[in-house]
Amino acid sequence: MSSAVQADAGRREDTHAGYDVRTEYTVRRIDERTFSAHLHRSSTGRFQQTPHWVRARGTDWDSELLGVFDREGELVGIAAVRLRGLPVGPWKLAYINQGPVMDWEDGDVPGVLGALSAHLRDAKAFAIRIVPPLTVHRWDSEPIRAAIQDEAYQALSQLPPDEIDETGRRTMITLDQLGWIRQDQEKVEDAQSVYNVWVPLEGVEESEIRGLASGSFRRNVRGAERKGVEIVEATRADLPEVKRLYDETSAKHGFATFSLEFLESMWDSFTDGFPGKFHVLLAVHEGDVLSVMGTVQTGRRAQAVLIANSDEKRQLKASNLAYDAALHRTHTDGAVLYDFGGVGGSLDAETADAGLLRYKASAGGVTYEYLGTWDLPLNPVLYRAFSTLLPLYGRLRTWRSER
């Protein structure tokens, strides 16, 4: 089988299906304005592919904005690539989170990926890591809520999906055929959640938004309002309080937290010339911040980027009101979909993951399974060393942080 890129770094057969990808496509750096315009026209554009998010995540990574052009000069794909160098030598890991942005359904997926891979190999990438912005399975809210109450189901993977996405399924087959390797999410540093919850808003009237949630969820929203919980727009000065709640939430659910410096960088990136919408809402009761909902919107798709809740005054159900306010704000901003963020795959009612999944399903969310993280080794020797040493580095960093 021929592929766009051979895993053997010593070979230079940049071909697929009988044509040379270097002739068929051209890859070059593009300016931020061109990149952003294409991103916001795309149905698969995510905030992780915005130049603003790349800058916020920059710290110890380099980055570049790439465009893939066909022979007619049409821009057919873009990628915001983050590059992390090895401790010695010129070699780098190229990371494209929620990308590349392209026509995954009808476009030339092998050709575009092959052209990007050839370009990045020339730039001394020893491997490429992508998280495609595609889903493969969908579960509606009612079956999930029922499954959490049924001891026969312990994980989402055991529950038959309500829909299989053909584009996602076909893409997984294509990636495997081209030599990409699907990663174990638990072993990937800073991995994206495989399961995400979306709330569809297209065709929904303002007066119908609250009706998307379950009856108990709506009662909690009204109860929080009656008990004096208020929604206020956060300012940059509120970020230390946002971090406090995020630390509390991350400790409870076992995911990595953010530093205050990163939160400040994210705030600055999304408020300085960002061609979309960004807002952080706080649910406050008698001066106490009880819940945080931060949302980024690119095009007509909004995504929750910060969700944090305090264990204090839980009986007030402030998180329900914060979510309701964020959904109304998103609808006003013209979004047709609200990505409510990641969840774990557990259906065990005794776990925190299942509790979060039940909460988001009760809010009217539909759960999707993404394709996950995929690697393409370009230098097999370096890639094997990287794959072996990175988990050790992660454990060492955790050990140091706990001392």
Side-chain angles (χ1 to χ4, degrees), residues 228-240:
V229 180
E230 300 177 321
I231 300 297
V232 298
E233 187 95 21
T235 68
R236 197 177 188 277
D238 293 311
L239 291 181

Side-chain angles (χ1 to χ4, degrees), residues 209-231 283 315-328 359 362-363:
I209 292 177
R210 195 166 286 185
L212 297 174
S214 68
S216 60
F217 198 98
R218 296 195 301 270
R219 287 192 293 274
N220 289 339
V221 172
R222 293 192 296 268
E225 290 174 325
R226 287 196 305 271
K227 294 170 185 175
V229 180
E230 300 177 321
I231 300 297
Q315 74 280 4
L316 296 180
K317 306 297 182 182
S319 63
N320 295 61
L321 182 60
Y323 160 78
D324 180 76
L327 203 59
H328 278 82
Y359 169 82
S362 297

Side-chain angles (χ1 to χ4, degrees), residues 2 11 17 30 34 51 71 80 91 119 122 151 159 163 176-177 196 212 248 252 266 275 281 374 382:
S2 66
R11 301 177 66 179
I30 57 177
T34 302
R71 283 190 292 185
W91 298 97
H119 174 88
D122 286 347
E151 294 183 358
L159 184 65
E163 181 184 48
D176 182 67
Q177 291 174 339
N196 271 60
L212 297 174
E248 185 177 333
K252 179 178 179 180
M266 180 180 68
L281 302 181
W374 294 74
L382 285 177

Side-chain angles (χ1 to χ4, degrees), residues 83-403:
L83 299 157
R84 172 183 279 180
L86 293 177
V88 294
W91 298 97
K92 309 168 188 175
L93 170 69
Y95 182 32
I96 306 174
N97 188 9
Q98 296 298 309
V101 180
M102 59 173 292
D103 184 353
W104 290 90
E105 183 173 3
D106 298 316
D108 181 6
V109 173
V112 172
L113 289 179
L116 279 169
S117 301
H119 174 88
L120 289 169
R121 183 178 59 195
D122 286 347
K124 299 299 183 183
F126 68 87
I128 306 170
R129 173 166 291 174
I130 64 173
V131 184
L134 302 174
T135 64
V136 65
H137 294 135
R138 188 202 81 213
W139 293 268
D140 293 333
S141 58
E142 288 302 326
I144 282 184
R145 292 165 62 194
I148 291 175
Q149 303 303 317
D150 187 343
E151 294 183 358
Y153 297 104
Q154 295 296 299
L156 262 175
S157 58
Q158 299 173 329
L159 184 65
D162 291 290
E163 181 184 48
I164 297 175
D165 187 284
E166 181 59 27
T167 299
R169 187 195 68 82
R170 188 174 64 246
T171 299
M172 291 182 75
I173 294 173
T174 298
L175 290 173
D176 182 67
Q177 291 174 339
L178 292 174
W180 293 80
I181 305 169
R182 194 181 191 197
Q183 302 300 298
D184 181 342
Q185 294 299 110
E186 294 184 358
K187 297 180 180 179
V188 176
E189 183 187 16
D190 199 25
Q192 305 295 302
S193 175
V194 171
Y195 300 106
N196 271 60
V197 177
W198 300 356
V199 182
L201 294 173
E202 189 166 17
V204 177
E205 299 294 331
E206 177 75 17
S207 60
E208 298 171 333
I209 292 177
R210 195 166 286 185
L212 297 174
S214 68
S216 60
F217 198 98
R218 296 195 301 270
R219 287 192 293 274
N220 289 339
V221 172
R222 293 192 296 268
E225 290 174 325
R226 287 196 305 271
K227 294 170 185 175
V229 180
E230 300 177 321
I231 300 297
V232 298
E233 187 95 21
T235 68
R236 197 177 188 277
D238 293 311
L239 291 181
E241 188 67 6
V242 170
K243 174 173 169 50
R244 182 186 68 79
L245 259 66
Y246 201 83
D247 288 346
E248 185 177 333
T249 304
S250 65
K252 179 178 179 180
H253 291 285
F255 57 81
T257 189
F258 292 137
S259 68
L260 179 59
E261 291 74 18
F262 170 73
L263 291 175
E264 291 172 341
S265 176
M266 180 180 68
W267 183 282
D268 294 340
S269 294
F270 284 135
T271 55
D272 182 14
F274 178 60
K277 304 288 197 311
F278 173 64
H279 55 79
V280 178
L281 302 181
L282 308 178
V284 181
H285 182 260
E286 296 179 349
D288 297 324
V289 179
L290 303 179
S291 187
V292 176
M293 285 291 298
T295 302
V296 175
Q297 183 173 329
T298 54
R300 303 192 70 191
R301 179 190 182 92
Q303 294 176 255
V305 65
L306 285 172
I307 303 177
N309 301 296
S310 174
D311 279 335
E312 299 295 326
K313 302 183 181 180
R314 293 185 62 185
Q315 74 280 4
L316 296 180
K317 306 297 182 182
S319 63
N320 295 61
L321 182 60
Y323 160 78
D324 180 76
L327 203 59
H328 278 82
R329 173 67 177 270
T330 293
H331 185 272
T332 300
D333 287 341
V336 297
L337 186 145
Y338 186 75
D339 185 334
F340 202 2
V343 291
S346 175
L347 294 178
D348 181 351
E350 300 301 316
T351 64
D353 279 351
L356 181 62
L357 179 57
R358 179 173 50 221
Y359 169 82
K360 292 186 176 183
S362 297
V366 179
T367 303
Y368 289 85
E369 181 182 5
Y370 280 103
L371 270 61
T373 302
W374 294 74
D375 285 2
L376 180 66
L378 301 177
N379 183 314
V381 174
L382 285 177
Y383 180 75
R384 283 196 295 271
F386 167 81
S387 300
T388 301
L389 295 175
L390 187 63
L392 297 176
Y393 168 74
R395 288 198 292 271
L396 177 61
R397 190 171 63 174
T398 300
W399 177 79
R400 284 177 173 173
S401 68
E402 290 174 348
R403 289 181 62 85

